[in-house]
Amino acid sequence: MTRQRTGETEELKYTVIFFLYCSFQADKTGCATVSFNMSIFTKIDQRRLHDVLDIRAKVEEEGTGVSLPQEKRVRISYVLGKVSFINVPKVWERGSNVEGKVRAVYHNNTPVCDAPVYLFTGEMWQTRSLQNLTTDSNGVASFSFSTDNFDQDIQLHASLTPTLGYPGYRTAYYDRGVHTLSMSQPSSPDIKTISSLEVQKKDKSLPCDEEEDISVNYTIVGESPGSVDVIYLVLSRGAVTMQGQKQVEVQDRSVNEGQVSFKVRVSPEIGSRVPRLWLMPSCQVRM
C-alpha cells in the first residue's frame, strides 16, 4: 500500500499480489516437479493482473539447513497451438500445381490429430477459401491446387478455425500459418537464377615466399536459411597443395551475395600463378 497526496486529499493506492504457495520433496536426483491449473487466476479481477508470473523457489538441504533461492519471470501466452506450412515451394510457375503440407500442433508441440484445417488464399483483409483439409495422426495434412487462376504472388493462410480474424484481448487462440509463393519471372541478365562463384583475377605474377589474399565473390540462389560451406582446393601439377573451406551464412531471401577470401603462401612448388579450382554444390564456377 502506498500513500499519495493530491492537494488537501490523501489517496490510498493498493497493489494486489496473488500468491500460490507449494511445498514438495525433491527426488534422489535433486529434482522436483509441480503443476497447477492456470484457471485459478481467472477468478481474480483481470484488470488488476499482468500477463506474467513471478516464480520464486528455494531449495533447502535437510540436515544442514543450507538453502539456495532462485527467481524467474514467465510471460503468460494465450496461444493454444499453431498451424505451419511444411514442404511448400517459395516460387510457382504458370500452369503448375502447387503441392505442400500443413502441420498443426498444440502449445507443447504434440500433434493436433484428426482436426479440420482450413486453407485460404489472398490478403488478410480479402481472403477466399481454397480447400478444407483434415490432419492425420501426426497432425499433418497434404494439399494440392492448380495455379491456372492465379497471375501474381500467392499468399496462403492455414487455420484451425473456419474464419480468419485477430484474437480478442486475453483470448486463447490458435496461431495461423502464413506462406507466400512468389511468381516465377522470366530470366534476364539482371536476375540471378543460379548459384555461382567467381574468383577475382590477379593481373600480375605472385612473388614467391609471400602470402597472398585470394578473394571470391559468391551468389547463392534459392537455398534455405542456414549455413553453406564453400570448399576450395589449390592444385599444382595435378596434385592438391592446399585445401580448406569457408562457411557462409544464408539469409531468408531469394538471392544471397557476398565475398569470402583466404590466404595462400606462394612457393616454387605451386608456381608464380596460383592454380585455382572451386567446388560448390549446384553452382557455376568462373575463374
Side-chain angles (χ1 to χ4, degrees), residues 173-187:
Y173 67 96
Y174 287 92
D175 208 4
R176 69 180 184 278
V178 181
H179 183 82
T180 300
L181 294 90
S182 301
M183 182 177 177
S184 177
Q185 301 294 332
S187 61

Side-chain angles (χ1 to χ4, degrees), residues 84-273:
S84 57
F85 286 92
I86 55 177
N87 300 333
V88 184
K90 292 185 177 181
V91 179
W92 69 275
E93 297 182 354
R94 290 182 180 274
S96 65
N97 287 340
V98 173
E99 296 181 353
K101 298 178 181 179
V102 294
R103 183 168 186 258
V105 296
Y106 293 108
H107 65 91
N108 58 1
N109 210 37
T110 57
V112 181
C113 307
D114 301 321
V117 176
Y118 304 91
L119 191 65
F120 302 88
T121 182
E123 298 295 339
M124 182 62 186
W125 60 88
Q126 194 177 12
T127 59
R128 64 180 179 86
S129 176
L130 191 62
Q131 287 182 11
N132 292 342
L133 314 171
T134 303
T135 60
D136 59 17
S137 59
N138 296 315
V140 177
S142 301
F143 65 86
S144 175
F145 63 89
S146 171
T147 60
D148 290 345
N149 296 325
F150 294 91
D151 57 5
Q152 57 186 350
D153 294 351
I154 302 174
Q155 189 168 86
L156 298 176
H157 307 261
S159 173
L160 285 169
T161 57
T163 58
L164 293 181
Y166 295 101
Y169 178 64
R170 285 181 170 175
T171 301
Y173 67 96
Y174 287 92
D175 208 4
R176 69 180 184 278
V178 181
H179 183 82
T180 300
L181 294 90
S182 301
M183 182 177 177
S184 177
Q185 301 294 332
S187 61
S188 71
D190 297 328
I191 299 178
K192 306 294 179 62
T193 59
I194 190 170
S195 300
S196 64
L197 294 171
E198 182 176 7
V199 181
Q200 290 190 353
K201 294 182 179 180
K202 298 289 184 179
D203 296 330
K204 59 181 181 179
S205 297
L206 305 180
C208 284
D209 297 324
E210 291 188 12
E211 284 191 338
E212 187 72 19
D213 286 321
I214 306 298
S215 299
V216 177
N217 298 324
Y218 65 83
T219 300
I220 302 175
V221 179
E223 297 290 340
S224 300
S227 60
V228 173
D229 289 329
V230 179
I231 303 172
Y232 60 86
L233 301 175
V234 179
L235 303 179
S236 179
R237 301 182 179 92
V240 177
T241 60
M242 181 181 176
Q243 64 181 5
Q245 65 183 43
K246 292 286 185 177
Q247 193 171 78
V248 174
E249 290 299 321
V250 179
Q251 305 299 322
D252 188 14
R253 50 176 179 258
S254 57
V255 179
N256 285 262
E257 294 181 294
Q259 186 181 86
V260 294
S261 62
F262 67 98
K263 291 184 178 295
V264 172
R265 175 167 288 279
V266 182
S267 65
E269 286 75 18
I270 67 172
S272 60
R273 289 187 178 272

